[in-house]
Amino acid sequence: MRAYLTSPKFLRAALPAASLGIILFIIYLYSPFAVSYMGLNLMLQYAVPIALATIAQMFIITVNDLDLSIGAFVGLTACIGATLLADTPILGILALAASVAAYAAMGALIYWRNLPSIVVTLGMSFVWLGIAVLILPTPGGTAPAWVKAIMGLKVPYVPFPIVASIVIAIVVHLMLMKSSYGAVLRGAGGNAKAVGRAGWSLLKIKMVMFAAAGFFGVLSGLSLIGLTSAGDAHIADRYTLYAIAGVILGGGEFVGGRVSPIGAVLGALTLALTPQLMGFMKLSTDWQIGAQGGILILVLAMRALINRREA
Amino acid sequence: MTTSQQNIVTLEQTAKSFGAVRALGGVDLKANMGECLGLVGHNGAGKSTLMNVLAGTLNPDTGVMRIHDTDLSHSYGVSTANENGIRCVFQELSLCPNLSVAENARIFHPSLTGWGWKARAGKMIRDKLDEIFPGHGIHADDVVGDLSIGKRQMVEISRAFTTTDAPLHLVILDEPTSSLDAVTSQQLLDFVRKVVGQGLSCILISHVLGEILEYSDRIVVMKDGLVVAEKPAQAFDRDTLVATMGNVVETSEIVEHSLHTKQRGSTPLVVQAQGSGSADSVPFVAHKGEIIGLAGLASHGQTTMLLKIYDAATRRKKHPRVEGPVALVAGDRQTDGIFHLWSISANIGVRSLPRMLKRGLIDPAAEAVLGTQWQERIKIKTPDMNDNILSLSGGNQQKALFARALASDAEIILMDDPMRGVDVGTKLEVYDLIRDEAEKGRTFLWYTTEMDELKNCDHTYVFRDGAIVADLARADLSEEKILQSSFKESA
């Protein structure tokens, strides 16, 4: 048992949870009341949309691509949610479905023409932003009542963002890590040629992964306007980097199909908490991004140390 | 050996070209039930292309393909191959390193779905591993990337023999023993004979001619994209087989070289190291101009020793003692050896960059000169050294890696089983080169899993569990002795 607890495999899996725990602990030292039902509810408010965007990015990273458009895409779906979905629900649902389909098409294009995903998604991020500005030129609109109701849900004993994060983590874990098709999807990240030789369609795999990313992007956008109750094309610009950082903090790797949904959600929670920690430490908000980068580097350094011990 | 006439696959006049390179020039091939077909030939003779055609991963340009007497020439693909029970173990491993052993088994079997698929996949692959490689020590939950290359190959082979809903008729084994040690190779080949006895058909591709001669019923020899001979195995012996492939055995040269062997100690000591196992370990020493063999069962510390020496030389550590610059020829050329996106010349030149600088930049002319110089010396088969390295066949890629090491200023060359899956012709050429270079004063440390290669070595150290358990001079060298020391305590 002791050997297992100190094995690199276990340490690597425990690292995301440990980072989150440490941050929570420091916050507790500054202000014990913050780590309470109400406090966590407030501090983790924005964790749900970040977690959903992180999961979306994780799907893309699983197949060795990188999505630089997820932030703009979440902004677009937020705008659709705050306008079309609220005014004409059917049209809104169609528009959201079309954006998921557009994501799948983006995956197909990347596979077909063997294009670098960074270039394609960077280009598409301007397209998403442009459409979002067309739909909602100035910040505004209203979120549909049911979206607000879901995001405003009060769960007894455990804060809602934590419940939601656990649900997201478990659902995606079952989909990607436990299901039999999930193994094929991850396999395509590990050795695409081998998966193709075994008779699987790599085009379909790419499209499924991008569509899944689009779907979670939509969920992220909706949950975001559920909290802000209004939309804005630039509402989620930072999410692109948050999502990448979340996946990596959570133990994922850029290539090779090595990802962890539970880790990714933990990573997203960690990122959502760092601004709060800065607040308690009375650091100016100007330092926030730098501090987040610092935490990222620290965790990655720890991981490198663990990996070195293994070698 | 009985040869049932029931036919599984027939290829007629199958041809395939890649651009200007003709890989297959009209090949006829038959595989029958209950027969092990041996396939030999140089690298680049078209064996791998032929196997890819059979596995459905390449479509031939022309030719007829019949499976169980049904003409499938125009509707053949990977899934048709699977449906018809044709499996292929490819030379470069086709497992997903990020998945567990059980998950890799699942990728092979579309029907493994629903509740408990992981348990079923795990049991299936474990049972097959137990059947082929008793005592393998692999768990179904192990992540493939964490396994040694030998174990990965065991998983891949076992996976090819697992069955779910589709029947299994023909298994193609492309260099199956290249990363296996003597014991597991034996287990595999015995298993192949057993299943062939039960009516399965196998195509065995190997550069270890002993395996082919001993374990196949019929041998097909390929050369330059054509079948040049096809006879029962008994009709061949080692020499006739090599002659048919187009090479002459050069044992005489080895003898000649051994006459030149200097008295040990007449040249200065260049490497001195210690094994990492038990205390009774023999010290590892190499003198200038010697060829030193590292033998023993696969992954018993040979590679670790080479890397230790490499580390010591590049980071200027005191232990182990290494005098002079080193270069490493990688064994796992896809992961550790070649730069996939670079040209052949660039791949050769990368170890010698400081010599090719002109005002701080790489001089393309110098690089090209180095490239063509080594193309001639080592006979790399390509129309243009500026082509991508992946356009070469496996053996020629390996030659390029040798050229990289030999073209450098290194005086000590470390070789990590570099001849894995390389054809006899290339091997003999490289052996010559190594002997010549050793005469000129270079030192070679050579880890190999093949007995024949150790005959080139002045001294052979046998490894077991990281320790050096025997030091054999050339005169004392025999397969028996190596196996004896490899197993001393475990037996």
Side-chain angles (χ1 to χ4, degrees), chain B residues 98-316:
Chain B
N98 58 331
L99 301 186
S100 72
V101 172
E103 287 169 337
N104 267 292
R106 184 270 179 271
I107 288 199
F108 228 55
H109 294 288
S111 64
L112 267 177
T113 54
W115 279 112
W117 67 269
K118 221 174 232 180
R120 274 179 283 139
K123 183 174 163 21
M124 180 177 76
I125 188 80
R126 203 170 47 240
D127 289 350
K128 201 48 90 175
L129 275 164
D130 288 342
E131 190 182 348
I132 306 178
F133 304 107
H136 50 79
I138 299 168
H139 294 281
D141 300 333
D142 286 346
V143 175
V144 166
D146 296 340
L147 298 175
S148 68
I149 188 167
K151 284 190 171 167
R152 272 183 287 179
Q153 198 162 21
M154 282 150 75
V155 171
E156 173 142 27
I157 291 166
S158 305
R159 186 177 70 162
F161 284 98
T162 56
T163 48
T164 44
D165 49 353
L168 182 60
H169 294 301
L170 170 68
V171 178
I172 301 159
L173 298 163
D174 193 352
E175 293 294 337
T177 59
S178 59
S179 299
L180 300 180
D181 57 46
V183 177
T184 40
S185 298
Q186 187 72 37
Q187 287 175 337
L188 168 66
L189 293 167
D190 289 342
F191 176 79
V192 166
R193 277 317 319 175
K194 193 181 108 194
V195 289
V196 163
Q198 292 163 355
L200 200 77
S201 170
C202 276
I203 296 181
L204 179 63
I205 304 176
S206 178
H207 291 310
V208 184
L209 299 182
E211 287 175 357
I212 295 278
L213 286 164
E214 198 177 335
Y215 288 92
S216 37
D217 301 308
R218 192 155 55 92
I219 296 178
V220 170
V221 183
M222 287 187 73
K223 192 176 169 183
D224 299 333
L226 294 168
V227 171
V228 289
E230 183 182 350
K231 281 184 228 169
Q234 296 93 318
F236 283 109
D237 63 22
R238 202 187 164 77
D239 293 337
T240 52
L241 200 53
V242 172
T244 322
M245 285 161 63
N247 303 109
V248 188
V249 188
E250 301 182 38
T251 33
S252 53
E253 281 197 34
I254 297 180
V255 175
E256 188 192 319
H257 173 73
S258 59
L259 294 178
H260 285 283
T261 309
K262 300 144 220 131
Q263 185 62 38
R264 199 163 208 202
S266 61
T267 50
L269 190 81
V270 286
V271 177
Q272 188 171 27
Q274 195 78 39
S276 53
S278 48
D280 63 334
S281 188
V282 183
F284 183 94
V285 281
H287 294 82
K288 192 172 161 65
E290 277 183 329
I291 305 175
I292 303 289
L294 288 78
L297 299 180
S299 58
H300 268 250
Q302 298 95 332
T303 306
T304 321
M305 172 63 87
L306 291 180
L307 292 180
K308 215 159 76 182
I309 292 168
Y310 186 84
D311 254 12
T314 47
R315 302 207 183 135
R316 299 177 194 205

Side-chain angles (χ1 to χ4, degrees), chain A residues 174-188 195 200-209, chain B residues 99 106-107 110 112-114 117:
Chain A
L174 290 178
M175 272 166 49
L176 193 61
M177 310 304 281
K178 291 288 168 194
S179 81
S180 59
Y181 192 58
V184 177
L185 294 173
R186 282 180 292 129
V195 172
W200 300 96
S201 159
L202 292 172
L203 175 67
K204 190 180 149 201
I205 290 173
K206 270 264 150 100
M207 288 177 71
V208 165
M209 285 312 238
Chain B
L99 301 186
R106 184 270 179 271
I107 288 199
L112 267 177
T113 54
W117 67 269

Side-chain angles (χ1 to χ4, degrees), chain B residues 362-491:
Chain B
I362 300 170
D363 178 11
E367 195 175 69
V369 166
L370 189 79
T372 30
Q373 198 184 338
W374 280 92
Q375 178 182 18
E376 273 166 33
R377 262 204 79 183
I378 207 165
K379 299 191 199 79
I380 296 171
K381 276 183 211 150
T382 175
D384 188 349
M385 289 296 278
N386 290 319
D387 284 351
N388 183 281
I389 181 94
L390 293 177
S391 66
L392 296 178
S393 69
N396 278 303
Q397 287 177 20
Q398 196 64 51
K399 278 187 184 175
L401 290 186
F402 265 103
R404 180 194 294 171
L406 295 177
S408 75
D409 58 353
E411 280 155 30
I412 303 162
I413 315 273
L414 312 173
M415 301 192 286
D416 182 14
D417 203 3
M419 301 299 200
R420 228 174 257 170
V422 173
D423 68 290
V424 179
T426 308
K427 275 181 183 172
L428 294 177
E429 282 169 31
V430 175
Y431 296 164
D432 270 348
L433 199 68
I434 291 174
R435 284 194 300 265
D436 288 350
E437 292 288 327
E439 300 269 316
K440 287 181 197 157
R442 273 185 161 153
T443 313
F444 289 83
L445 308 185
W446 190 354
Y447 164 42
T448 170
T449 46
E450 282 177 41
M451 188 55 211
D452 286 350
E453 301 192 337
L454 292 174
K455 287 179 187 148
N456 289 298
C457 299
D458 298 306
H459 262 268
T460 299
Y461 292 101
V462 185
F463 283 70
R464 191 181 67 225
D465 292 329
I468 301 167
V469 289
D471 170 8
L472 304 170
R474 188 202 302 272
D476 306 330
L477 186 72
S478 73
E479 184 155 22
E480 219 187 330
K481 274 189 185 152
I482 290 179
L483 283 176
Q484 244 172 26
S485 359
S486 307
F487 283 105
K488 207 178 261 168
E489 274 152 25
S490 46

